[in-house]
Structures are given as C-alpha cells and as structure tokens.
Amino acid sequence: MSCCRAPIRRLVASMGALDVALGLGGCARDGPMTTLIARSDLARSILHLYGIITGVAVAIALIVAVVLVWILVRYRGRDAALPSQTRGHTALEIGWTIAPALVLLAIAVPTIQVIFRTQAAPVPAALEIRVLGHQWWWEFRYPSLDVVTANELHVPAGRPVALTLDGPDVIHSFWVPQLGGKRDVVPGRLNRLTFTPDTPGEYRGQCAEFCGLSHANMGLRVVVDAPATFERWIAAQKATPAEPTGPAAEGKAIYARSACVGCHTIRGVSTGSLGPDLTTFGSRRTLAAGMFPSTAATVAAWVKDPIALKPGSKMPALGLTDDQARAVAAYLLSLK
Ligand code: CUA
C-alpha cells in the first residue's frame, strides 16, 4: 500500500492548491459583475443583508472550529481517559434548541425586510421603463418619453426607476449586480423591479436564466447619467438622424432595399419590430447585446454574417458583399 500513498497525497495536495487558486481567482472585488459594490438603494440593502449573514456564518464557523480543536487536543489518543458521559441533560437540550432558533431569527428578520424591499411598489415620481427580454437581446422602452433603445439602458442618477419586465419568447432574467438583484422576465407576466441608482457610471448586466444557444451572449449595460446628461441623451434619441453622406448614403440605400427593413425600425426609414430599433444605433457603445465594441470593422462583420459571430442569432446573413457590408456599417454608425 505504501507504494501508492505518496502519489495520492501529491494528487490531493495539487487538487487542493488548484481549488484555492480557482477560488481566489473569483475573488476580485471590483470585477464588472461584482455584487460587493452597491450603486443603488436596492443593491445596498441586499449587500447589507449579505454582510449580516456572512458575519453570523463566520462567527458560528469560528466557534465550532475552536471547540473542535480544543476537543481534538484535550482528548487525543495518547492520554485516552474516557471523558465523563452525559445523558438526558434538560438544560443542554433546551440550550441547543433555542440557540439555533435565535440564530435563524437573527437572519430571518432582516432577510424578510429585504425581500419586502425588493418587491416595493414604485413611487409616483419614478421613471417608467418597459424591459423586454428577447432571444438574445434586450429592448428598453420609455413610454413617457417616446424613446425605444436596445441593450444599453440609460437612467438618471438620483431618480427612482420602475422597470416592468416582460418578453415575447422564453424566460430570461434581468441582472445588473451593482444596481440590484435578479428579476425573472416571464412571457405573459409583468414583473417589476424598482431602484434608485445613485452614482453615474456604466454597469454591466447579464441575462441570468438559461434561454437558449446564446444565453451567455445576452449581456447589457446600464449607463447611469447625471440628470443633465440624461436630458441630453433623451433629446439626442428623439432627434431625427441627419441625412447620411458618402459611403453612409450608399449604406442607407442598401439598407432600404434589403430585408433589414422587415425586422428593424429606423425612424423615417423602416418600421420592422422583430429586431432592435436602430434609430440611434451609432450612439451605442457595443454591438450584439454587449458582445463587441461597436466599430466599423465589427459592425461590418456582423452585418455580413451575424451567426458566425453569435451562435443561433435570429438575424440571418443577407448575402451582402464586403463593400456593401462596410457601407451599411458606415450608415448604421452615422445614426446618432
Ligand atoms: Cu436570456 Cu438567458
């Protein structure tokens, strides 16, 4: 047997080291999907609850570890006197029933408070936004402002936002960790999520419910703007894009005579509704639900063959030549 123990020990040790390395690798506090930096009232209350539960769990783990080590040392084999035996000790039994009940109560009270907070009704001054989860992109509609956009949600800092979530195909889940918890997007059912973002910045989000081939590619960004910046953004979204010139004008002509118009809206040009509204496509920083930075090269590659870039994409390749794809990309990027 001894022939095999050393290799097994080495294997166990290296697996343990790998485990620690992978565990620590996931510990970056300020990663884009961190839950440890809260930037809204809702995220703050969830983070506070994490703190309480982690504190209680660490305290219990420490107490158990200290008692365990003490018993191991005190009653180790070489002075193996049998410890005194206890049976039917009423006070002990009541104690170890009440103590865990108190621990559960200490966790349950703040937990229930936060659960109610996550279901809070929106205040009347909240900015209403309708969120639609599609395979595999996000649509954002601002009914009071008459603005529709995709994959990049702009909201003003300091004002409550009331999201109403719904979708036309399968179940998705809207999750922007720094702004709040996950909320399922269920076809035929209106779910709500209400929070007040407090710090301007860009926050990453991700669909958190498996929804098909490109579930992992269903990202989003929430841009929290200072109020004046948000007003400017809204004004830019409502403006009619300038008439394109040069290659972009050629791109517009190709767009207008191809199948693009059946699926996409560009105000004044087309009214399709299956794919994202492209009226201000050029103002977005990313492409294909956050997969790529929006550049002339990535947009042209996307227009030429979307499925090659995003598995399962519902947008088919339209058989454009490289030159045509580049012209369409120039047109789309001119829409700001
Ligand atoms: Cu949508 Cu996963």
Side-chain angles (χ1 to χ4, degrees):
M1 275 309 283
S2 66
C3 70
C4 313
R5 279 203 189 128
I8 289 173
R9 231 179 281 141
R10 269 202 296 277
L11 180 68
V12 169
S14 43
M15 283 178 71
L18 182 67
D19 212 32
V20 170
L22 290 175
L24 290 177
C27 280
R29 182 176 170 274
D30 58 353
M33 293 293 286
T34 184
T35 50
L36 300 177
I37 300 173
R39 292 289 185 246
S40 80
D41 57 340
L42 176 60
R44 228 176 281 286
S45 59
I46 294 172
L47 184 58
H48 181 63
L49 182 62
Y50 281 170
I52 293 172
I53 293 177
T54 306
V56 170
V58 167
I60 292 172
L62 279 177
I63 292 168
V64 171
V66 166
V67 172
L68 183 64
V69 168
W70 178 76
I71 288 174
L72 287 175
V73 172
R74 174 72 181 76
Y75 297 105
R76 67 193 184 281
R78 71 178 114 98
D79 31 65
L82 190 67
S84 74
Q85 303 293 296
T86 309
R87 179 163 297 149
H89 194 300
T90 310
L92 262 183
E93 287 176 9
I94 291 174
W96 67 48
T97 304
I98 288 179
L102 289 177
V103 170
L104 290 181
L105 194 67
I107 292 174
V109 170
T111 301
I112 291 169
Q113 280 174 342
V114 171
I115 288 173
F116 275 99
R117 167 64 196 86
T118 65
Q119 305 297 323
V123 296
L127 174 63
E128 284 275 351
I129 301 171
R130 180 126 187 262
V131 176
L132 290 122
H134 298 261
Q135 284 177 315
W136 289 277
W137 58 282
W138 298 95
E139 181 172 356
F140 303 116
R141 296 185 187 162
Y142 300 69
S144 61
L145 300 168
D146 200 22
V147 163
V148 179
T149 184
N151 299 323
E152 292 183 9
L153 173 66
H154 281 250
V155 291
R159 179 173 172 191
V161 291
L163 307 183
T164 308
L165 307 106
D166 186 13
D169 45 44
V170 300
I171 299 177
H172 304 271
S173 181
F174 179 91
W175 186 36
V176 184
Q178 288 184 260
L179 299 178
K182 296 167 186 167
R183 186 59 39 96
D184 274 4
V185 180
V186 182
R189 183 195 152 88
L190 291 184
N191 278 344
R192 287 193 158 276
L193 184 65
T194 308
F195 58 86
T196 307
D198 50 34
T199 312
E202 189 178 305
Y203 304 101
R204 279 271 298 279
Q206 170 66 36
C207 177
E209 181 75 47
F210 181 70
C211 55
L213 206 52
S214 260
H215 156 68
N217 299 321
M218 191 169 163
L220 72 140
R221 279 172 166 69
V222 178
V223 181
V224 177
D225 291 318
T229 313
F230 180 73
E231 291 306 322
R232 280 199 297 279
W233 180 81
I234 287 291
Q237 297 300 301
K238 293 166 90 96
T240 302
E243 195 56 35
T245 54
E250 189 199 330
K252 180 179 178 181
I254 297 167
Y255 173 91
R257 67 168 183 262
S258 70
C260 312
V261 295
C263 293
H264 295 283
T265 289
I266 292 179
R267 206 181 305 127
V269 181
S270 63
T271 55
S273 59
L274 286 177
D277 187 308
L278 302 176
T279 303
T280 53
F281 177 87
S283 70
R284 294 180 207 145
R285 300 167 193 182
T286 59
L287 170 68
M291 280 185 86
F292 311 102
S294 194
T295 66
T298 56
V299 177
W302 174 262
V303 167
K304 190 143 192 295
D305 191 357
I307 297 165
L309 297 183
K310 185 167 188 171
S313 169
K314 307 283 183 190
M315 175 168 155
L318 298 174
L320 301 179
T321 65
D322 286 342
D323 284 344
Q324 287 171 325
R326 272 195 288 273
V328 172
Y331 169 52
L332 294 178
L333 288 166
S334 78
L335 300 169
K336 300 186 186 186

